Amino acid sequence: MQGVVFLGDRRLELREFPDPTPGPGEVVLEIKASGMCGSDLKFYRAPPGAAQAALGLGGSAEPDIAGHEPCGVVAAVGPGVDEAQARVGMRAMNHHYTGCGHCPYCRVGWSQLCKAGFTVYGVTGHGGHARYLKAPARTMVPLPEALSFVTGAAISCGTGTAYNALRRMNLSGRDTLAIFGQGPVGLSATQLAAAMGARVFALDIGAERRALAEQFGAERVLDPAAADPVEALKALTHGEGVDQALDCSGAPEARVQAVRATRTWGTVCYVGEGGEVTLDVSPDLLRRQVTLIGSWTFSSLHQAECARFVADRGIDVERLFTHRWRLEQAEEAYRLFDTQTTGKGVFLME
Ligand SMILES: [Zn+2]
Ligand SMILES: [Zn+2]
């Protein structure tokens, strides 16, 4: 089979790999849809291996197949896999991490927190930008019948990450929420938070992304480059500031603005990866009793919960995708995604 590998410095290639065979406890997932995630750009852009090292993920000398939003159908099952866990023909998403499998984190589906080390499929192990993906059966998350493979791909990182952040923030329908950055995670957060009943103010410097946010249920969209977003958000909330703010941009100035636009007793959550932030701790946090949360992806159980939420509420996750590609178009696909002006892209295998 062929798989997309990132060579570093914005270069990639389609490389030949043997078709995988499942070992004990493993399955092979035949990929139907493999999403492109904003965090892939870190690995795409960086010198070889540098982004993995910067995020503390380790990795092998040879590049692995990219893509950490794999979704498809179980094609083969190895010895010792229980029918209830995975069977041939099962529609499934992959929770794209594996750890030791028995520590307190792994046992509740948070294998990316495993202290014994963990693999990230698509980053430090072969991922979904190929015909097949081999992974332990326990990493397979059933895809509800009502959801398409493309929707499952989004839930496998971007949409799932947004869902888990909102869950950790205990977002309620009473809340006003500012979402900084309307890339695939921010747009998902806009869509989900609107479905949860919150008033959403969506911020992005890109006009195309602001237009998508409006379609996805944001009550107001703001361009942080045009006017001070802290003042604008206070003006929309009786001078108080928003109840909650979510940063999906990872931009240092947006992180500060998210904190300063949040009202006293409010909650701020960071999901944008990498980089730094400088806060004036007493006025920004302590004196206003602000809660600051860091949230990184989701457990396999919350991935399943997110899929149920999306199915039950009839959320049109497919609208996140502005581009559908074939593997042979990977260079063009990542060159366009690299502009960070579009919605999400996905590779379809058939
Ligand atoms: Zn991701
Ligand atoms: Zn573990």
Side-chain angles (χ1 to χ4, degrees):
M1 67 178 186
Q2 292 194 306
V4 175
V5 295
F6 295 145
L7 302 173
D9 301 320
R10 292 184 162 84
R11 290 174 305 122
L12 61 77
E13 69 178 27
L14 262 181
R15 198 173 273 190
E16 197 61 43
F17 291 91
D19 288 357
T21 315
E26 292 179 329
V27 306
V28 166
L29 189 67
E30 183 182 350
I31 304 296
K32 299 291 186 186
S34 181
M36 298 165 73
C37 176
S39 64
D40 288 322
L41 292 175
K42 293 192 194 306
F43 311 116
Y44 171 70
R45 290 170 178 166
Q52 285 89 334
L55 294 173
L57 297 174
S60 42
E62 279 300 301
D64 292 300
I65 297 170
H68 61 271
E69 297 188 342
C71 187
V73 174
V74 173
V77 172
V81 174
D82 194 286
E83 269 262 315
Q85 204 169 24
R87 59 189 187 286
V88 172
M90 181 177 100
R91 301 167 85 247
M93 302 175 282
N94 173 238
H95 185 248
H96 63 271
Y97 309 98
T98 188
C100 73
H102 17 258
C103 74
Y105 300 107
C106 286
R107 288 179 66 176
V108 294
W110 278 105
S111 48
Q112 67 270 50
L113 306 181
C114 181
K115 298 284 187 281
F118 59 95
T119 298
V120 186
Y121 297 114
V123 181
T124 59
H126 290 318
H129 288 358
R131 169 67 65 187
Y132 298 109
L133 168 88
K134 183 179 76 165
R138 65 172 181 272
T139 68
M140 295 297 144
V141 179
L143 179 71
E145 277 304 320
L147 301 185
S148 67
F149 293 116
V150 168
T151 297
I155 290 169
S156 299
C157 189
T159 297
T161 293
Y163 180 82
N164 198 65
L166 299 175
R167 198 181 190 285
R168 291 201 52 202
M169 296 164 81
N170 279 320
L171 187 76
S172 96
R174 294 190 305 276
D175 291 329
T176 56
L177 170 69
I179 303 174
F180 289 75
Q182 295 293 308
V185 175
L187 283 170
S188 295
T190 295
Q191 215 174 17
L192 294 167
M196 292 171 187
R199 288 178 73 199
V200 178
F201 305 126
L203 298 91
D204 200 283
I205 52 173
E208 192 174 340
R209 289 183 163 182
R210 286 199 303 277
L212 286 171
E214 208 151 33
Q215 292 170 30
F216 284 10
E219 184 180 306
R220 289 289 283 271
V221 293
L222 303 169
D223 177 2
D228 178 12
V230 176
E231 292 310 313
L233 289 166
K234 284 187 174 169
L236 288 166
T237 52
H238 314 283
E240 292 284 345
V242 292
D243 298 305
Q244 308 221 32
L246 174 64
D247 176 63
C248 302
S249 74
E253 59 277 19
R255 285 173 174 157
V256 173
Q257 289 160 354
V259 169
R260 294 189 181 154
T262 298
R263 65 181 297 164
T264 298
W265 292 112
T267 298
V268 182
C269 182
Y270 289 168
V271 300
E273 285 265 22
E276 297 185 341
V277 62
T278 302
L279 294 171
D280 197 347
V281 170
S282 291
D284 287 340
L285 297 174
L286 276 59
R287 299 284 147 72
R288 300 192 301 111
Q289 311 285 3
V290 167
T291 301
L292 180 55
I293 296 172
S295 185
W296 180 40
T297 61
F298 44 84
S299 73
S300 55
L301 301 177
H302 293 143
Q303 185 173 351
E305 184 186 298
C306 175
R308 277 196 303 274
F309 182 85
V310 166
D312 290 349
R313 305 298 174 104
I315 297 171
D316 190 2
V317 169
E318 282 209 32
R319 283 175 63 201
L320 279 172
F321 292 92
T322 52
H323 294 82
R324 287 165 164 76
W325 306 98
R326 308 194 52 79
L327 275 188
E328 302 75 55
Q329 297 173 295
E331 279 198 27
E332 187 188 350
Y334 275 96
R335 213 179 308 126
L336 180 69
F337 196 48
D338 192 27
T339 64
Q340 291 191 284
T341 55
T342 64
K344 206 170 163 70
V346 62
F347 292 98
L348 302 176
M349 301 308 156
E350 287 177 334

